[in-house]
Amino acid sequence: MKEKIKKIWQTMKRWWLRLVIMLQPFLKWLRGLPWYRLAPLKKLNPFRYLKRMDWYIIKKFIGTYIYSIVLIISISIVFDVNENLAKFTNYHAPLRAIVFDYYANFVPYFANLFSPLFVFIAVIFFTSKLAGNSEIIAMLACGMSFKRLLRPYIISAALIATLNFFLGAYIIPRGTVVRHDFESLYKNNKKNTSASNIQLMVDKGVVAYLSQYDDIRKTGYGFALYKFENKKMVSQMNASVIQYDTISEERYHWKARNYKIRTLKGMREQITSGNEIDTLIQMEPMDLVFSKGQQETFTSPELLRYISKQQERGSSNVVQYEVEYHKRIASSFASFILTIIGVSLSSRKRKGGMGLYLGIGLALSFTYILLQTVSATFAINAGTPPMLAAWIPNILYAIIAYFCYRQAPN
């Protein structure tokens, strides 16, 4: 292990030296330019708008946010280990799989899920401390407006929101696949791996039917494919067994065994049969078996492609996928909303302390997360438009945030 680390360090060192050598002519040319030619470049530097006070608040915000995540997730891991230790022991789960397959993906998932709550706790905690030390009073007394005071908070919230969206849209879905596989092996949370009586529109005027499908073997039984033109059947393919070719580089590649193809041309009928044939059918294994939480295993681009494909087929089983797609975007804005509420509630120094306002803020953040879950359930079960269901909590709490901002000290 030490030798590998040394090799990696030496490789990084070599690349760094090469980079420095390559940039030397450019740096020499840059140093030789007159100062007035470099002056316009300073305007492009976004950090010039950040003063010492901004950096102070940003560091406090991000530091408290990370500290609260580490603290709460550590407690969650302790409870989870205590709950699942017997299952891990009974199913002989290896320590490497527990650490790297389960908990390495457990931590980002739940940290991202409760990130709005962590943002709010971080804002309330350090802002109330600043107010208690009369630091915010000093800032406002120097002529700084409350709107100007919000700038570093909004920048910090933007950084956290960007990170949350990137993790939720691209990184966490990959880890969720690994975590679900681990749970199916070592926690007895068996995934749905079979389906029966599947009828699917795979293309315009083309309908596929499977009597049984086994997702482990990627094999279907009792297969039939019907093609219609002007509401009349023009061809029919039957096969006793059909198997998805996982080795092929092409998508939608299937192998049909004991097949029979009927082609209808007017009053004539042509029949072709054989033992095995390779064919392209626009369906994949993930179109045939639906398991609980499957939408969480797709990245956002994959979700969008899957939704559009299922809508073209006329499938009604896409509501939870649409809710998941819109929820990932909407939940990123929760950082901004709860940050404004938190700053507005905790920035004023009060005699009785922050107990009442801290309780109000925590109640608002918990009800916000609860409303997100309830609205998603309504979209799936009550027919609420998915986009509206995902954005209702943001719209409602944006109004509350605006009201808190108007009541904040100016």
Side-chain angles (χ1 to χ4, degrees):
M1 188 67 181
K2 291 182 179 179
E3 292 179 358
K4 288 183 179 179
I5 294 171
K6 284 182 180 179
K7 286 182 180 178
I8 293 169
W9 173 250
Q10 289 173 358
T11 305
M12 290 174 64
K13 197 173 179 181
R14 283 199 302 270
W15 280 104
W16 174 251
L17 289 172
R18 288 178 186 176
L19 182 63
V20 170
I21 293 168
M22 288 172 62
L23 290 176
Q24 274 184 351
F26 174 73
L27 294 173
K28 188 176 179 182
W29 171 79
L30 200 61
R31 285 195 297 268
L33 287 176
W35 67 269
Y36 59 83
R37 292 189 180 179
L38 295 176
L41 295 177
K42 293 182 179 179
K43 295 181 180 179
L44 300 176
N45 183 15
F47 297 107
R48 75 188 187 96
Y49 298 103
L50 298 178
K51 308 301 179 185
R52 185 176 296 178
M53 182 273 296
D54 297 319
W55 284 114
Y56 175 69
I57 292 177
I58 289 171
K59 288 176 183 177
K60 286 278 187 182
F61 193 158
I62 301 297
T64 312
Y65 172 76
I66 294 172
Y67 175 77
S68 62
I69 283 182
V70 171
L71 182 64
I72 296 174
I73 292 298
S74 300
I75 296 170
S76 302
I77 289 174
V78 170
F79 280 102
D80 191 78
V81 169
N82 185 49
E83 183 182 348
N84 295 310
L85 188 60
K87 291 181 180 179
F88 293 158
T89 306
N90 292 336
Y91 289 97
H92 306 288
L95 180 62
R96 182 183 178 86
I98 294 172
V99 174
F100 293 102
D101 292 349
Y102 184 66
Y103 283 109
N105 297 305
F106 171 92
V107 171
Y109 175 79
F110 284 98
N112 194 66
L113 182 65
F114 295 106
S115 180
L117 180 61
F118 297 143
V119 167
F120 184 80
I121 291 172
V123 170
I124 285 280
F125 183 77
F126 86 88
T127 306
S128 59
K129 193 174 180 182
L130 292 179
N133 295 334
S134 301
E135 294 180 63
I136 292 181
I137 293 174
M139 294 174 192
L140 298 175
C142 291
M144 179 185 294
S145 65
F146 187 73
K147 185 178 179 181
R148 171 64 182 84
L149 179 64
L150 274 176
R151 182 192 290 178
Y153 286 94
I154 296 300
I155 291 171
S156 303
L159 293 173
I160 293 171
T162 304
L163 177 64
N164 288 340
F165 175 75
F166 181 76
L167 287 174
Y170 298 98
I171 306 299
I172 292 176
R174 302 298 185 192
T176 303
V177 175
V178 178
R179 184 166 58 86
H180 284 181
D181 291 340
F182 176 90
E183 289 175 349
S184 66
L185 285 172
Y186 303 114
K187 288 182 66 178
N188 201 26
N189 292 342
K190 297 300 182 182
K191 294 193 297 184
N192 187 19
T193 58
S194 62
S196 59
N197 295 324
I198 306 166
Q199 189 169 339
L200 185 69
M201 182 178 287
V202 297
D203 201 355
K204 187 177 180 180
V206 181
V207 179
Y209 173 79
L210 280 165
S211 177
Q212 294 286 335
Y213 177 74
D214 183 1
D215 194 49
I216 297 174
R217 297 184 177 88
K218 309 295 181 190
T219 304
Y221 305 94
F223 175 74
L225 186 71
Y226 304 94
K227 185 176 180 181
F228 297 89
E229 289 182 2
N230 298 324
K231 299 182 180 181
K232 291 183 179 181
M233 189 176 71
V234 294
S235 67
Q236 176 185 347
M237 176 182 177
N238 294 88
S240 59
V241 179
I242 187 169
Q243 186 174 26
Y244 188 71
D245 192 351
T246 56
I247 303 173
S248 176
E249 295 179 358
E250 297 178 350
R251 294 173 65 189
Y252 313 124
H253 192 220
W254 295 82
K255 289 184 177 180
R257 298 187 181 94
N258 298 325
Y259 69 92
K260 181 187 289 185
I261 301 173
R262 295 174 57 210
T263 306
L264 304 175
K265 296 180 180 178
M267 299 298 293
R268 295 183 179 182
E269 180 179 349
Q270 183 180 352
I271 298 177
T272 307
S273 60
N275 292 327
E276 184 174 303
I277 187 173
D278 292 342
T279 181
L280 292 174
I281 304 170
Q282 291 190 19
M283 64 179 185
E284 294 177 285
M286 67 177 181
D287 300 328
L288 304 175
V289 176
F290 301 98
S291 57
K292 186 180 179 181
Q294 185 178 355
Q295 67 273 14
E296 296 177 355
T297 63
F298 291 166
T299 62
S300 289
E302 290 172 347
L303 265 178
L304 201 58
R305 287 196 297 269
Y306 182 83
I307 290 167
S308 61
K309 184 170 70 173
Q310 293 299 102
Q311 285 176 342
E312 287 176 0
R313 291 173 173 175
S315 175
S316 60
N317 192 28
V318 293
V319 179
Q320 60 265 39
Y321 296 89
E322 291 180 296
V323 170
E324 177 68 21
Y325 178 77
H326 292 295
K327 191 172 72 174
R328 290 177 184 179
I329 302 171
S331 61
S332 301
F333 288 88
S335 300
F336 297 101
I337 296 169
L338 292 178
T339 295
I340 294 171
I341 294 175
V343 178
S344 303
L345 290 175
S346 60
S347 58
R348 181 176 292 173
K349 188 174 182 179
R350 294 174 175 87
K351 263 189 176 181
M354 283 301 300
L356 175 63
Y357 293 92
L358 180 60
I360 293 171
L362 287 174
L364 285 173
S365 60
F366 277 116
T367 51
Y368 179 78
I369 295 170
L370 179 64
L371 185 59
Q372 281 184 321
T373 306
V374 171
S375 61
T377 306
F378 269 108
I380 295 170
N381 298 323
T384 307
M387 187 173 180
L388 180 62
W391 283 94
I392 279 176
N394 281 2
I395 295 168
L396 180 60
Y397 279 81
I399 297 170
I400 296 173
Y402 178 74
F403 175 77
C404 293
Y405 169 74
R406 297 297 297 177
Q407 299 298 317
N410 290 299

